[in-house]
Amino acid sequence: MKKFIQEFKTFALRGNMMDMAVGVIIGGAFSSIVTSLTDNFINPILNFVTGAQAYGLSDIAGFASNFISALFNFLIMAFVLFCLLKAVNKLASLGHKKEAAAAPATKKCPYCMSEIPIAAVRCPHCTSHLMEEQNKNS
């Protein structure tokens, strides 16, 4: 049973699964912005242009406030989702140890300052002998 729970945890917290969940949630929240834009701006403009309905200043203010409300709801949802994912990532990384820094694989040639392999005896760029330099450092 413990292995089953561990496998499920690995599956649920995998990067692709979390990205897909965020996409679905943000997509659902964004659809409310699109619906509000259509209901509060595009349809009233079309109704006004075609002469189907006339709007007063209070109607226009109501349309704007509805759209701004939908926009703030989206931003709040995105912020809450961001905080939630930040907490999940923090919890997921608690058990992992930081990797030690890898030993350098290259060094700089003291003569031409180009990157060369650490074990090089001669610089491939300026053809300088590096053996004396290594002996001085030892």
Side-chain angles (χ1 to χ4, degrees):
M1 185 67 170
K2 188 174 182 180
K3 185 177 179 182
F4 178 77
I5 293 172
Q6 181 65 28
E7 288 177 2
F8 179 75
K9 179 182 166 189
T10 305
F11 168 75
L13 296 178
R14 192 174 14 182
N16 296 344
M17 183 65 76
M18 297 300 282
D19 291 343
M20 188 175 69
V22 168
V24 168
I25 293 170
I26 291 291
F30 190 73
S31 70
S32 69
I33 290 178
V34 173
T35 302
S36 177
L37 180 70
T38 305
D39 292 344
N40 295 311
F41 284 109
I42 296 173
N43 286 343
I45 290 172
L46 290 175
N47 287 338
F48 181 74
V49 169
T50 59
Q53 191 170 358
Y55 296 105
L57 195 54
S58 63
D59 293 332
I60 293 171
F63 293 148
S65 68
N66 288 341
F67 179 72
I68 290 172
S69 174
L71 189 63
F72 277 126
N73 286 340
F74 173 76
L75 292 175
I76 290 169
M77 174 68 77
F79 179 72
V80 168
L81 191 60
F82 171 75
C83 292
L84 183 68
L85 284 176
K86 197 157 179 72
V88 167
N89 288 339
K90 183 95 171 167
L91 286 173
S93 68
L94 284 179
H96 299 292
K97 293 183 180 178
K98 295 192 177 199
E99 295 179 14
T106 61
K107 62 181 177 181
K108 285 197 179 273
C109 172
Y111 303 105
C112 69
M113 302 307 284
S114 60
E115 292 281 329
I116 57 174
I118 196 88
V121 184
R122 177 173 270 198
C123 178
H125 302 285
C126 68
T127 67
S128 299
H129 289 282
L130 303 174
M131 217 41 180
E132 299 91 27
E133 190 67 31
Q134 287 177 356
N135 290 337
K136 287 180 192 175
N137 292 339
S138 300

